[in-house]
Amino acid sequence: MYKVIGVPQSRASRIYWLLEELGQSYETLSAKPHTPEVLAVNQAGKIPVLMDGDVALADSTAILHYLADKHGGCTFKAGTIDRAIQDSFTMFCLDDIEGPLWTSFKNTSIHPENVGVPEVMRSCKVELAKALDVLAKRLGSKTYVMGDTFTVADIIITNCLMWGSSIPEFGVPKEGPIADYVKRTTSRPAFKAAGKRIAGAQT
């Protein structure tokens, strides 16, 4: 059985979601970054960490790709054009959507006052707005970013959009194609099942 280590309301939730999509059993260990439980399996102290037997895997995107490839679900086969397009959506999200969110968060909530630059929020807002416009155009009228097939790219993109929506200053649209897309992805049974696991892990 897999074990997912990390605070539930973090990128660990991405792993929960995919494991539910794949129908795989897993247990959870709620742990904050740089705690002894995390440092014991990841020298960088970052979460999430996936334990597959005695092997510890770090970085949520790498974990998602590993699980999807291993179990043959929520992904196109490596070496195909479809996989390349799928990966392009993933990389676009990490660079252009998650990038501004993470940069803003670090400078307003993580770095000490003598290091953080809160004013960076202005440029992050502009960058995110541009990225969301591009995403809406690339998504078009498709159900998911890859058409009718739900993939790990949708998990990462939805997770970032939900993160952005939780910060009013970013102005993530509450209606329109982006909002409709999030409604479709979060209506999936596996997302709801992961939500129940997250709620249970927090109690």
Side-chain angles (χ1 to χ4, degrees), residues 117-147:
V117 184
E119 294 79 7
V120 77
M121 169 68 87
R122 293 198 302 272
S123 63
C124 289
K125 288 170 60 177
V126 172
E127 291 175 17
L128 183 61
K130 290 180 179 179
L132 294 182
D133 182 59
V134 172
L135 176 61
K137 291 176 180 177
R138 293 187 68 182
L139 182 62
S141 60
K142 293 181 292 186
T143 302
Y144 305 116
V145 296
M146 291 301 295

Side-chain angles (χ1 to χ4, degrees), residues 23-45:
Q24 296 298 310
S25 299
Y26 62 101
E27 57 185 12
T28 65
L29 174 61
S30 181
K32 295 182 178 179
H34 306 289
T35 54
E37 298 93 335
V38 176
L39 287 169
V41 292
N42 181 10
Q43 292 179 332

Side-chain angles (χ1 to χ4, degrees), residues 76-151:
F76 286 91
K77 186 178 179 180
T80 64
I81 292 296
D82 282 334
R83 177 59 175 268
I85 297 172
Q86 173 191 313
D87 288 345
S88 78
F89 271 106
T90 297
M91 301 310 169
F92 164 73
C93 179
L94 296 177
D95 289 342
D96 293 13
I97 299 178
E98 187 175 53
L101 292 171
W102 184 230
T103 297
S104 174
F105 184 66
K106 286 188 292 185
N107 280 279
T108 58
S109 302
I110 295 182
H111 293 323
E113 291 185 6
N114 63 330
V115 175
V117 184
E119 294 79 7
V120 77
M121 169 68 87
R122 293 198 302 272
S123 63
C124 289
K125 288 170 60 177
V126 172
E127 291 175 17
L128 183 61
K130 290 180 179 179
L132 294 182
D133 182 59
V134 172
L135 176 61
K137 291 176 180 177
R138 293 187 68 182
L139 182 62
S141 60
K142 293 181 292 186
T143 302
Y144 305 116
V145 296
M146 291 301 295
D148 293 330
T149 303
F150 180 85
T151 67

Side-chain angles (χ1 to χ4, degrees), residues 164-178:
S165 296
S166 70
I167 306 172
E169 291 85 350
F170 278 114
V172 175
K174 295 183 178 181
E175 56 183 29
I178 295 294

